[in-house]
Amino acid sequence: MLKLLGNLGQYLKTSAIKTESTVFRMHNKLTPVLLLAASAILTATQYVGSPISCIVKGVPEHVVNTYCWIMSTFTMPDAYFRETGKEVAHPGVANDFGDFTGRKYYTYYQWVCFMLFFQALLCWIPQWLWNFWEGGLMETITMGLDQSMDTKENIEKKKNCLMEYLTLYMKRHTTYVYEYFACEFLCLVNMFGQIYLMNYFLGGEFFSYGTRVIQFSNMDQEKRVDPMVYVFPRMTKCIFHKYGPSGSIQTHDSLCLLPLNVFNEKAYIFFWFWYLLMAVLLVGLVMYRLMIIFAPGLRSRLLHMTAKRLPIEICESVNKKVNLGDWWILYNLAHNMDPAIYREFLTEFTKKMSNSSHTKMSV
């Protein structure tokens, strides 16, 4: 288990060349690792115990356990409001006296590990899509300029090659930037989609799960119901029928312990807060990207922030001469080049663009 979780940690390592925002990496790397870790723990029964253990007389225990795990178990929702030990044996567990309409069946706990794995795959889709579209462009044009430990001659050659590339492919990076913004927007869609998916999966209980857990500690002890036990009951009931010696049908009412739900309740309260945090961050990120698109003046400020020692006039000058796609390339280069080399490069690039524009005007 530790080896498996350690292997998941390898996925969190980032490359030297970064083309994504921190929030983007949190969605595409950290969130899948958390989901896969939870799924792996649930599948390792030696760490969380047997998935179900039922108490019943007259029937082999392993038969009832298998049957109840496959066919689902149930509780009586009104029994959660009765006193445990006097009126009911356990929270939600009471004699229903044949009242089938008052039962609440639980089947999703069988599929939690698979659902978490599926959600991890969904979170990785934007990263896969961006890797496919990006194609290693940033790593190619950076050419090792992220490190200054090189000869001055080589650095100058690399800067000139980069300058020639940007000049040759000027105004041809619009698709590049919008593909990345589309991937970030896809993260937002995926996050809200998964929240609705989990709510549907848990029978409509996920939306208010976190708030009910927070409110639980402040409620009157005699009237409160633990939302974690309500959504993920630890003790449930299961009805098993079999033929008796005379051929009549015998009914066995069994109590079933669900150890996995002790982990499930903690995992889902964590994911409730995590998904809320990610949703807020992604909404803010998308709004930030919209500001970059529709407020060109903001771009020069952002470029200046990446290279603080660079005069704002240079950033404003280059911002006026490039479109959004080219600006995005320059902005990403600032995060992937040595700061001193980047300042020199941007200064020279601005002068070259100014000279070329003056030449065109004179012609």
Side-chain angles (χ1 to χ4, degrees):
M1 172 58 69
L2 294 177
K3 184 178 180 181
L4 176 60
L5 296 179
N7 291 335
L8 288 176
Q10 298 292 324
Y11 183 67
L12 294 175
K13 292 183 178 180
T14 58
S15 61
I17 303 300
K18 298 179 178 63
T19 58
E20 315 96 355
S21 65
T22 301
V23 177
F24 191 76
R25 290 194 295 271
M26 287 175 65
H27 175 277
N28 300 334
K29 292 181 178 287
L30 183 55
T31 303
V33 167
L34 294 173
L35 291 167
L36 289 174
S39 178
I41 292 173
L42 282 173
T43 55
T45 56
Q46 67 268 30
Y47 290 95
V48 294
S50 175
I52 191 170
S53 182
C54 297
I55 305 172
V56 66
K57 289 184 178 180
V59 182
E61 183 178 340
H62 70 278
V63 174
V64 178
N65 288 344
T66 304
Y67 173 83
C68 293
W69 177 255
I70 295 173
M71 301 303 294
S72 77
T73 60
F74 66 90
T75 60
M76 306 293 293
D78 64 325
Y80 284 101
F81 298 94
R82 304 178 195 175
E83 187 176 356
T84 303
K86 292 184 178 181
E87 298 178 276
V88 295
H90 299 278
V93 178
N95 194 335
D96 57 8
F97 299 103
D99 182 14
F100 297 99
T101 58
R103 297 176 180 178
K104 178 179 175 62
Y105 285 89
Y106 298 86
T107 57
Y108 49 76
Y109 53 76
Q110 308 168 14
W111 304 97
V112 169
C113 61
F114 301 104
M115 178 59 71
L116 293 174
F117 181 80
F118 176 66
Q119 289 179 245
L121 293 180
L122 290 178
C123 286
W124 189 73
I125 288 176
Q127 182 67 58
W128 174 84
L129 198 59
W130 173 238
N131 289 342
F132 176 75
W133 281 339
E134 205 274 337
L137 174 64
M138 189 56 57
E139 184 176 5
T140 302
I141 64 176
T142 303
M143 297 178 292
L145 289 173
D146 55 324
Q147 298 179 359
S148 58
M149 302 297 292
D150 200 351
T151 62
K152 188 174 182 180
E153 183 180 351
N154 286 338
I155 291 176
E156 288 298 324
K157 287 181 179 179
K158 292 177 180 179
K159 285 197 301 181
N160 291 333
C161 288
L162 177 57
M163 207 169 301
E164 289 179 9
Y165 167 81
L166 291 175
T167 304
L168 182 63
Y169 291 94
M170 184 69 67
K171 301 186 185 301
R172 296 185 185 180
H173 299 104
T174 305
T175 303
Y176 182 87
V177 63
Y178 280 115
E179 284 175 344
Y180 175 71
F181 288 175
C183 288
E184 287 189 333
F185 181 73
L186 182 59
C187 292
L188 177 63
V189 173
N190 175 66
M191 193 54 54
F192 278 100
Q194 287 203 30
I195 290 174
Y196 276 91
L197 177 64
M198 284 189 285
N199 188 65
Y200 176 79
F201 178 66
L202 297 179
E205 301 287 350
F206 186 73
F207 281 162
S208 59
Y209 186 51
T211 53
R212 282 184 291 161
V213 171
I214 296 173
Q215 295 169 357
F216 173 69
S217 59
N218 298 323
M219 295 174 63
D220 187 356
Q221 189 169 359
E222 296 180 356
K223 298 180 180 180
R224 67 184 185 179
V225 176
D226 189 344
M228 291 191 290
V229 175
Y230 183 80
V231 179
F232 298 101
R234 298 158 192 176
M235 291 295 297
T236 57
K237 295 185 68 177
C238 177
I239 306 298
F240 182 80
H241 301 283
K242 75 179 186 71
Y243 286 102
S246 62
S248 60
I249 297 178
Q250 295 181 347
T251 301
H252 295 269
D253 194 346
S254 60
L255 283 176
C256 296
L257 175 66
L258 302 174
L260 290 180
N261 277 349
V262 176
F263 177 80
N264 287 336
E265 65 183 23
K266 308 299 189 303
Y268 272 93
I269 191 61
F270 170 79
F271 285 123
W272 190 90
F273 285 104
W274 179 257
Y275 272 69
L276 178 63
L277 172 65
M278 289 304 305
V280 171
L281 291 176
L282 285 168
V283 168
L285 180 62
V286 170
M287 294 178 65
Y288 173 59
R289 298 308 184 201
L290 290 174
M291 291 175 63
I292 290 176
I293 294 173
F294 296 107
L298 178 64
R299 301 172 198 168
S300 57
R301 296 289 177 181
L302 293 174
L303 206 58
H304 177 64
M305 289 173 61
T306 58
K308 294 182 179 179
R309 295 183 181 179
L310 196 66
I312 185 64
E313 292 78 14
I314 293 179
C315 298
E316 291 175 346
S317 176
V318 72
N319 186 49
K320 293 177 182 178
K321 295 178 175 62
V322 298
N323 64 4
L324 177 61
D326 298 324
W327 174 86
W328 183 251
I329 293 292
L330 293 173
Y331 182 73
N332 275 280
L333 284 172
H335 295 91
N336 292 292
M337 290 175 61
D338 179 79
I341 297 176
Y342 178 75
R343 286 193 293 269
E344 293 175 3
F345 164 77
L346 195 60
T347 302
E348 294 173 10
F349 182 65
T350 306
K351 291 180 180 178
K352 183 175 181 179
M353 292 184 66
S354 299
N355 293 335
S356 61
S357 61
H358 289 319
T359 303
K360 290 180 181 179
M361 290 178 63
S362 61
V363 172

